[in-house]
Amino acid sequence: MSHVDPEVDLENEDDIDADADSDAKQVEDEEEEADDQEQDDYGEPFEARSFGGEFVWAKAKGYTCKILRVRAGEKVLVSTRGRQDMVVMLTGGRAVLEVIDGDETDRVEIMPAAPVRVHPEREHRLVAMTEVEMFTVYSVIDG
C-alpha cells in the first residue's frame, strides 16, 4: 500500500490552481484577440454599419463602388434611391437576393464572382447566409 504525503497533495493542488489560472488567462486572451479581430474586420477603412461595415473603394463623376461586409444572418436593403445602373457582386460568402415586386418576393442565391444587376423599379434585400463580402457599383442620377 502506498503512502501519500499530505504536503505533496497540497503542492499538487496549488499547481492545479496555478494551471487553471493560467488556462483561464489564456482563454481570456484568446477571446480578447477574437474580439479585436472582429473589430478589425469592420474597422478602418470600413465604416461601421448595423449589418457589418462598408467603405467607398472608388468614386468618380460617373460611378461609385463600395465594398460591404455583412454578418451572417443579417438582412440589408439594397437601396436604389438616387442610383441607376446598379450591380452587386459577392466576393465571398453565401447570400440570397430577395427581389420584391408588390406582394411577390423572388429569392435567388447569388454566387461569388457573378455580378447581378439591381433594377431600380424593384426593392432588393440581401440576406447573408454566411459572412459576406460584396461590391456594389452604381452611377448616381443627376438631380
Side-chain angles (χ1 to χ4, degrees):
M1 183 169 175
S2 68
H3 172 69
V4 177
D5 186 356
E7 288 182 44
V8 173
D9 286 343
L10 289 176
E11 285 179 13
N12 288 341
E13 197 172 287
D14 289 343
D15 288 344
I16 291 169
D17 288 345
D19 288 344
D21 289 343
S22 176
D23 290 346
K25 177 70 174 145
Q26 183 177 357
V27 168
E28 188 177 300
D29 290 345
E30 289 172 0
E31 288 173 354
E32 285 177 15
E33 207 173 283
D35 289 345
D36 289 344
Q37 179 63 37
E38 184 174 319
Q39 278 189 330
D40 288 346
D41 288 347
Y42 301 104
E44 290 292 331
F46 285 87
E47 189 172 316
R49 297 285 187 237
S50 61
F51 56 80
E54 72 175 12
F55 81 93
V56 175
W57 177 65
K59 188 171 187 170
K61 185 175 180 171
Y63 68 91
T64 299
C65 177
K66 291 183 179 182
I67 298 176
L68 304 173
R69 286 190 178 160
V70 182
R71 291 183 193 96
E74 294 287 339
K75 293 181 180 182
V76 180
L77 180 65
V78 180
S79 175
T80 57
R81 184 176 301 152
R83 301 169 182 177
Q84 62 184 6
D85 300 325
M86 185 174 208
V87 176
V88 299
M89 183 184 77
L90 293 183
T91 57
R94 292 184 59 206
V96 171
L97 188 65
E98 296 180 339
V99 182
I100 303 157
D101 192 10
D103 292 338
E104 293 185 28
T105 301
D106 289 326
R107 292 173 180 84
V108 178
E109 183 171 355
I110 54 179
M111 306 303 289
V116 176
R117 183 166 186 272
V118 176
H119 299 279
E121 64 276 0
R122 296 187 194 110
E123 185 179 330
H124 293 73
R125 183 173 43 228
L126 179 93
V127 180
M129 297 163 53
T130 65
E131 186 168 298
V132 169
E133 185 172 86
M134 65 184 283
F135 284 92
T136 63
V137 181
Y138 58 88
S139 58
V140 178
I141 297 173
D142 293 327

